[in-house]
Structure formats: structure tokens, C-alpha cells
Amino acid sequence: MYEKRRKQILKHMDKGSFALFSSGYAPKKSLDQHYPYFVNRNFYYLTGINQAYSYLLIIKGVIEKTILFVEKRTPERMLWDGVVLTFEEAKEISKVDLVMPNTVLDTFISSILSSTRAASYGPLDNVYFDFQGNFNIREFAEEYSEKLKVNYPYLKHHNLNSLLSSLRSIKDKEEIRRMKEAIKITDEGLNLMMKNAKPGMVEHELEAYFEYTLKKHGVTVSFNTIAASGPNGCILHYGDNNRKTEDNELILFDLGVYKDNYASDISRTFPLNGKFTELQKKYYEIVLECNKKCILFAKPGVTWKELNDYAKDILSDGLIKLGKIKEKEELSKYYYHSIGHYLGLDVHDVGPYTEPLKENQVITIEPGLYIAEDNIGIRIEDNILLTKDGSINLSKELIKEIKDIEAFMKK
Ligand code: GLY
Ligand code: MN
Ligand code: MN
């Protein structure tokens, strides 16, 4: 799998070149504490290695070679931080040609660029990096590129980032399998919350049932859970989760799971007391209709703009029929985000957002309505696999019909 992906990169590279990627590391938080480590997604995509301070070198010279540089296992490291992959394990996972200690990366790069060693690979005049350019920490790629410019001014520097984004947006069987697993655990956690919901609970008390489910399965959230009751449902990225809920309120959950580095991203909205009020039902039915129609509408060839416009038409028609708004333009008061995004290694995954949808992409469909004056926030989000001529709702097992939610919560 990883070898096949690297072949795509190799195909794109000029003869007489090399490419260099880094896994990243956890930023420092205080003296000897670090923020959680989150492997660089493109590095993981090309290696399957989820370990800090690892580097991938792909050489396309007279001969081709792929080398992984990883931390060397030492007794001290094992005592303090636990297991580091052995070189054999790293090779087995990634299927690279060679694994070397990360301490020799710089000397190795110098050697392939020196006039003597260059003989085995031939002259290397091009270097490829993954310049991601959208993070506020200085990236490995930028730094290394600057360093090489000083000593090897003749090298031409190229960016592989958009190629990687396009490749990553098309999912293979294993990626889809992992996302299905993530969705299954999300479903279990949501059901446990619905079973235990009662008015008067604080939002995080209910969230705890979701967290419990994740811990049981040994997985983590794919982003901070949004547990937004009553008026908080109208705050798109609400995350305090500390409000005491009341009777006759809805709670909007937007949450997901990382299973083997692949994300689910689901939203469900339900009444804390198990029964929708008449007004809640009216708004909920509009969002649900939009969710279902957009899922049917999503297929290869459709653009994000078409999907967004289609969703807005359904939501505004619904509100006009209800007498809530008079003109389509007024919808922006009650719906103020877009219909979805690609999903994969990242929750808001990379991909060609300006191009039409393609087979084997996975996207979210997540319409909502946010009626602040009625303390009602509703979002219904599913995860959709695009097929040759349509789509499959990967989260179709997660109940969302009013009658199914009410029947389930009554039990
Ligand atoms: N959880 C953020 C989103 O649904 O896109
Ligand atoms: Mn979401
Ligand atoms: Mn989403």
C-alpha cells in the first residue's frame, strides 16, 4: 500500500532527484512535557510509520532507492518513553529498501550530493519537499530547503504538496475499512449517550459516555467533541461542554473517532428527554430532508459549489414554507457554514476542492439550522463514499429519523 503510493511520487519526480519528508515531532509544552504527538499525515500516508523524528528519503537517480531514517532503540529510551520501532519492524511496515538511524540523515544527504558518492546515483539536481505552508510552526521542509540552498545552490526545489493532496483524496480499500471502523465505534458511543440522556445533565456528563466507549475500544477522538445543548447548538465550534441542560431542549453532538489514523466525523441532534417538541420537529425535518437529498445528489462529477447551492435551496425552501423567512437570501441568518468536506487522515481532509467530486473520495454531508431565538441548533452529518455513479452512506446505521430516535430513547 505505502510502496504503491511512493511509486506515484516517483513517477512524478524528474530523473536525477530526491525527495525528503519528515514525520514531525510533538511540540514542547513546558520543561519536559510535550503536546500530544500527531504524525505528519503525508509522511504517514507514504510510510505507515507513526513515530516522531522519522524521515523518508526517495532517490530517483541512475538507480532508485527508498530509505527510512528512524530513531535508534536504546535501553534508556525504552525505560522512559516505551517502545520505539526496531529497524526491522519499520522496514516491515513501510516496505522501504533500507532503514538507517536518523542521526546519519545529514551526512547521508551530503554523501549523495558529493561528487564522489554521486556516482552511484548519478548527479542529483532536483529536490522535492512537501511544503505544507499552512501551519504556524516552522516546517521541516522549509528549514531543510533553506539549509540545502546554502551548500548546494544549483539544486532546483519543488513542492509535492498538491500532488499528495490529490492522491490522498482518493481512498483505497484499507482506508475505507478503517473509516468504517471509526464510524462503527462512533455509532456505539452515540447510542450509549442517547440511552443515558436525561434533562438536567451537564453536557460533559453525557459526553463522558462517548469517551468511555472510545477508551473501551482503545481509540481517540478525531477532534474535540462538540456537546452543545439548547442555545449552544448555534455555536458552530462550541467546545466548553459545561452547560447544565434543561427539559425540552435538544443537544447537538458533533464528534468523531480516529481508528488507525483515519477519522469519522458525525453530527446527531436529539432531545434530552427523548421527545421532540412540535417546533423542534419542524426544523429537524427540514435539516433531515436536506441531509438525505444531498446524499442522493452527491456523485462523481458534481462540484462542491453545486452541492452547496443545492443544500441552500432545500433549507431555504423549508424555512419559506414554514413562514420563518420570506426570501432565499435570509437563510444565511440560520445556516452559516458549508455542506461538507473531504474526510480521511485529517478530519477536514486535503483534496481538490475546486474540482468535481470523484469516485472513491469520502466526504461529509452536514446541513444544519441554527435558530437562536428558539434555542434550537440542529446538524445532521453523515460520511459518504462516492462510487462510480452514486454514493454509499457509510454512516447509514446511525439513526436519524425522528421516530427511530424517539423509539430508541424510550427503550
Ligand atoms: N466537526 C467539524 C465538522 O463537522 O466539520
Ligand atoms: Mn462534524
Ligand atoms: Mn464535518
Side-chain angles (χ1 to χ4, degrees), residues 5 8 18 43 105 119 152 163 194 203 323 331 343 363 378:
R5 294 172 187 169
Q8 299 283 328
F18 64 101
F43 177 87
L105 175 70
Y152 311 96
L163 173 67
M194 271 195 270
E203 292 160 341
L331 176 69
L343 183 68
I363 63 168
I378 298 163

Side-chain angles (χ1 to χ4, degrees), residues 9 13 68 92 131 166 220 251 255 311 335 356 362 370 383:
I9 300 293
M13 290 165 62
L68 191 64
E92 180 55 33
F131 295 110
S166 296
T220 61
I251 187 160
L255 39 71
Y335 172 67
V362 177
Y370 311 96
N383 301 161

Side-chain angles (χ1 to χ4, degrees), residues 265 341 348 364 366 381:
D265 178 12
H341 49 84
H348 291 180
T364 68
E366 49 181 302
E381 177 175 20

Side-chain angles (χ1 to χ4, degrees), residues 351-390:
Y353 281 93
T354 53
E355 292 173 21
L357 298 173
K358 296 183 183 69
E359 187 181 356
N360 290 326
Q361 289 176 332
V362 177
I363 63 168
T364 68
I365 297 281
E366 49 181 302
L369 280 177
Y370 311 96
I371 320 288
E373 57 269 32
D374 293 322
N375 285 344
I376 292 176
I378 298 163
R379 185 160 58 255
I380 308 173
E381 177 175 20
D382 283 295
N383 301 161
I384 310 299
L385 168 66
L386 299 167
T387 56
K388 193 158 168 276
D389 41 26

